[in-house]
Every structure is written in structure tokens, then in C-alpha cells.
Amino acid sequence: NAGVTQTPKFRVLKTGQSMTLLCAQDMNHEYMYWYRQDPGMGLRLIHYSVGEGTTAKGEVPDGYNVSRLKKQNFLLGLESAAPSQTSVYFCASTLNHNEQFFGPGTRLTVL
Amino acid sequence: DQQVKQNSPSLSVQEGRISILNCDYTNSMFDYFLWYKKYPAEGPTFLISISSIKDKNEDGRFTVFLNKSAKHLSLHIVPSQPGDSAVYFCAASAGGTYKYIFGTGTRLKVLA
């Protein structure tokens, strides 16, 4: 039981490049989330999903897109990366309205 | 507008003493509150939670208190241990929204 895994762990992009972050969970959780963590800002919700095929915007959705084609996977896309998107990205999942299980994070640097 | 606030960025406590971490919120629709602990280079891990129908919840050395009228919650750690040194986040959710709003975190350092 791997829990929540994130791929890749580290990435460096140039401004304007695109990339996709993958989150996978093997706990059969309905709800999945993408957060970003910045110094002094805590964890801010980017997008979330309440089930396969559904997505919704969080607090800071601009510049990101997401897809939940399979229940176990939640993808976060950056179409044209900007330096302001330099951050640590965390994925999380939960079965119900309760504790979330977080992945180990992806550290992204945009030059 | 920061709906969940942790006004103390850092806190230092001697080993064996009590650590008290505070969290304030502004949205009266929040009805479920959680505390997470985060070590460097790791994802946050769940610590303890409380529903708005309660004013206290205990789990071992950890107790969370909720004061709904003041829109304030606190996490008490007794006794504090060096392994408790981490960043602590409080989070809040409003029923039916499936969204969690996090505070900015408090870095706790427990001195041996």
C-alpha cells in the first residue's frame, strides 16, 4: 500500500515550458486535491476533485489545469510555466470529509 | 482574505513543557477543523481533528480545543518532545464543500 505518490519529485523548467505533475493513490479515495506551498503562505488549494471525471477550482487556480480521468490519478498541468509558479506542490486524497493523506511533494523551479 | 490564521510563525518550548499552538478563523460556516504536522521535505501528516459540535478532543499527548464564539482553536502538546519539532498547520472545512483552507503554519521547536 503506497498511499499517495507524486511524480516527479523535482523539476526545473524554463519560462513558457509546459509540464504535467502526476498524483496517484491506491486507497480508493473519492476526493483528491492539489496544493502549493510557498514561504509564509501555508498550503493553498489549486484545484480539487470530488470523483472520477470531476474537477473544481480552489483558491489559486489560474495558470493550472487538472484532469481526473481515472479515480486513482489526479494530474496537474502547467501549460506555460511562469517564475511565479516556482513552489512545492502537494497532492492529497481523502475518503470522506475527514483527514487528508498527502504525497511527499514535488519541488518545481521555473527559471 | 486569510480565512484561517496562525499568527505565530514560530514557537520554542523546553522539552517536557506544554506547547500551545493557536489558530483563528473568520468563516462561521467552518464546521470541521484539523491539525497537521509537517517535517522538512515531507508531506503534511494528519494529527488530530475536531468537529464543531465538540469543544475538545484528545488523542494521547495532543488535545485540540475549539471556542466557536471566539472563532479560535488551539492545539496543546503535553509533554513536548524533541521529535515534535516541526511545522504545524491548522485547516478548516465547511460541511458539503469538500474544500480545506489551511493556515500559514507555526514552526515549533522543542529544546532538549
Side-chain angles (χ1 to χ4, degrees):
Chain A
N1 194 337
V4 179
T5 58
Q6 292 183 230
T7 309
K9 289 186 168 50
F10 303 93
R11 186 72 187 268
V12 178
L13 289 179
K14 294 181 179 178
T15 296
Q17 287 184 318
S18 63
M19 78 163 294
T20 300
L21 283 69
L22 170 64
C23 176
Q25 53 94 3
D26 60 2
M27 298 172 284
N28 203 33
H29 285 174
E30 287 293 335
Y31 311 112
M32 297 186 75
Y33 305 80
W34 276 107
Y35 296 90
R36 58 178 289 174
Q37 185 192 10
D38 303 291
M41 302 294 288
L43 289 158
R44 292 183 293 170
L45 181 63
I46 305 171
H47 286 281
Y48 65 103
S49 168
V50 300
E52 180 179 323
T54 72
T55 63
K57 293 180 180 180
E59 302 170 84
V60 288
D62 294 342
Y64 305 94
N65 56 74
V66 288
S67 64
R68 183 102 182 266
L69 299 179
K70 292 183 179 180
K71 187 177 183 178
Q72 63 267 35
N73 296 338
F74 195 28
L75 278 64
L76 177 71
L78 286 74
E79 289 187 351
S80 179
S84 61
Q85 294 178 304
T86 293
S87 187
V88 181
Y89 291 85
F90 289 102
C91 175
S93 71
T94 186
L95 181 61
N96 49 30
H97 186 54
N98 212 314
E99 63 175 287
Q100 291 178 306
F101 293 83
F102 282 83
T106 295
R107 186 173 294 275
L108 175 67
T109 302
V110 182
L111 302 175
Chain B
D1 177 32
Q2 191 77 21
Q3 297 186 65
V4 178
K5 302 177 184 178
Q6 293 177 258
N7 292 318
S8 298
S10 63
L11 175 68
S12 291
V13 171
Q14 284 294 131
E15 182 180 5
R17 306 295 291 267
I18 184 171
S19 295
I20 300 176
L21 295 92
N22 295 305
C23 181
D24 297 294
Y25 61 96
T26 57
N27 189 340
S28 58
M29 299 301 292
F30 288 149
D31 60 358
Y32 197 74
F33 305 89
L34 309 93
W35 284 94
Y36 288 85
K37 179 163 98 171
K38 185 184 180 304
Y39 293 118
E42 294 182 11
T45 54
F46 171 74
L47 204 53
I48 192 168
S49 62
I50 188 167
S51 164
S52 61
I53 63 173
K54 295 184 175 182
D55 54 19
K56 177 182 173 181
N57 189 27
E58 277 183 87
D59 185 0
R61 296 187 296 116
F62 303 93
T63 303
V64 56
F65 296 92
L66 175 62
N67 182 334
K68 289 185 289 292
S69 61
K71 294 190 177 68
H72 176 84
L73 64 155
S74 60
L75 174 69
H76 293 211
I77 307 173
V78 182
S80 301
Q81 299 173 354
D84 296 329
S85 297
V87 177
Y88 289 79
F89 292 99
C90 66
S93 178
T97 66
Y98 310 107
K99 292 196 302 184
Y100 299 80
I101 306 299
F102 281 75
T104 52
T106 296
R107 183 178 302 277
L108 173 66
K109 190 171 184 180
V110 180
L111 307 169

